[in-house]
Amino acid sequence: MPKMKTKSSAKKRFKVTASGRVVAGQAGKRHGMIKRTTKFIRTARGTTILSKPDEKIVKSYMPYAR
């Protein structure tokens, strides 16, 4: 049986934590910041933990991430 391949785009964008959750960067902060509220910009700092359904999809892209 050959080795399974990891999606290159997924390994660059997501990280699996020690407890098994998936961490990703916040969405919606590439451009158009003038029209966004200050509250939105403030709360979208750093990273976020993905929801369970999204986590399942991302983990299928990374078979060797623990």
Side-chain angles (χ1 to χ4, degrees), residues 9-25 47-50 55 58-59 62 65-66:
S9 58
K11 70 183 174 188
K12 292 168 189 170
R13 288 170 174 80
F14 305 106
K15 194 178 93 174
V16 180
T17 63
S19 61
R21 301 303 303 268
V22 178
V23 175
T47 57
T48 185
I49 294 173
L50 263 54
E55 190 177 293
V58 170
K59 281 186 176 178
M62 303 191 294
R66 305 270 164 180

Side-chain angles (χ1 to χ4, degrees), residues 4-54:
M4 294 168 74
K5 287 203 169 182
T6 297
K7 290 256 185 218
S8 291
S9 58
K11 70 183 174 188
K12 292 168 189 170
R13 288 170 174 80
F14 305 106
K15 194 178 93 174
V16 180
T17 63
S19 61
R21 301 303 303 268
V22 178
V23 175
Q26 289 280 6
K29 289 200 66 181
R30 293 290 176 189
H31 58 85
M33 290 297 102
I34 290 171
K35 68 180 91 167
R36 309 259 194 262
T37 62
T38 311
K39 184 181 177 182
F40 175 89
I41 295 167
R42 190 171 58 247
T43 55
R45 279 185 197 143
T47 57
T48 185
I49 294 173
L50 263 54
S51 63
K52 294 279 185 184
D54 289 339

